[in-house]
Amino acid sequence: HVSKLLSNIAILLAKDDATLRIYDPYYCSGQVVKQLGKLGFFSVYNQPVDFYEAVDKDDVPDFDVLVTNPPYSADHVERL
């Protein structure tokens, strides 16, 4: 389960689950914040922002770990 992996990363970074900064760049329906919050991860950034544009502009948020399920439609695979 992803929560165990995230908890282990938090430990390695001398953080706790609540303060581990998680970035999910693919918004979809925005449910990841709610779902990870239920697991005790409260510092989750998941906004309806174009990930590729943010990378091009060097405007991604500060994060400890990037967790996502990227879309595999259109040109997303080539852009990764």
Side-chain angles (χ1 to χ4, degrees):
H1 197 271
V2 71
S3 63
K4 184 67 173 166
L5 175 65
L6 292 172
S7 292
N8 285 335
I9 292 170
I11 291 167
L12 290 171
L13 296 175
K15 295 188 170 209
D16 59 22
D17 292 353
T19 60
L20 182 70
R21 296 172 302 167
I22 301 170
Y23 177 35
D24 182 348
Y26 296 100
Y27 184 73
C28 298
S29 65
Q31 289 296 307
V32 72
V33 173
K34 183 178 180 180
Q35 297 302 320
L36 287 174
K38 287 180 183 179
L39 298 172
F41 300 96
F42 302 119
S43 184
V44 180
Y45 185 92
N46 180 243
Q47 297 293 318
V49 174
D50 183 314
F51 171 64
Y52 306 109
E53 184 178 316
V55 169
D56 288 344
K57 292 181 177 180
D58 196 27
D59 191 29
V60 297
D62 290 334
F63 61 92
D64 298 312
V65 61
L66 187 146
V67 175
T68 196
N69 182 16
Y72 290 99
S73 59
D75 65 342
H76 290 286
V77 174
E78 293 84 21
R79 295 175 80 182
L80 293 173

